[in-house]
Amino acid sequence: MRPSRNQLLITALGVEVKVRRQELALSQEDVAGRCELDRPFITMIESGRKQPTISVLHRLAEALELSLGELCQRVDDRYRTELRAATGS
């Protein structure tokens, strides 16, 4: 399967990961440790340069003290807001 080319969606994910991390007053290192990932990978997700797999998304959600559904809802809400702003509707 090819990676998504929907950069707006990928960016929305990164922003939501960062926002939630900051809400919890966690560093990227803290989140990486909770997920058993490298800190640079968290940086790349937050900056929209990497797309995590579903298993990594699940681990991220847990590290951010959210269910996978809650994380996805936050990403979807941000994506739709950004999409409306980008299209002017």
Side-chain angles (χ1 to χ4, degrees), residues 4-73:
S4 172
R5 295 181 191 263
N6 187 338
Q7 191 58 48
L8 199 57
L9 181 58
I10 296 163
T11 299
L13 170 65
V15 169
E16 283 305 316
V17 168
K18 184 175 184 176
V19 165
R20 181 60 178 170
R21 176 178 63 74
Q22 291 173 336
E23 288 173 355
L24 296 172
L26 297 172
S27 68
Q28 289 180 337
E29 192 71 35
D30 295 332
V31 172
R34 289 179 175 200
C35 294
E36 298 180 357
L37 298 168
D38 296 331
R39 187 210 43 81
F41 190 65
I42 301 300
T43 300
M44 289 188 284
I45 291 171
E46 287 186 1
S47 64
R49 291 183 288 149
K50 280 287 185 188
Q51 296 179 54
T53 63
I54 190 72
S55 61
V56 170
L57 274 177
H58 187 266
R59 288 164 40 194
L60 271 172
E62 286 184 340
L64 297 171
E65 301 175 11
L66 296 170
S67 70
L68 181 57
E70 289 168 327
L71 177 59
C72 289
Q73 186 62 59

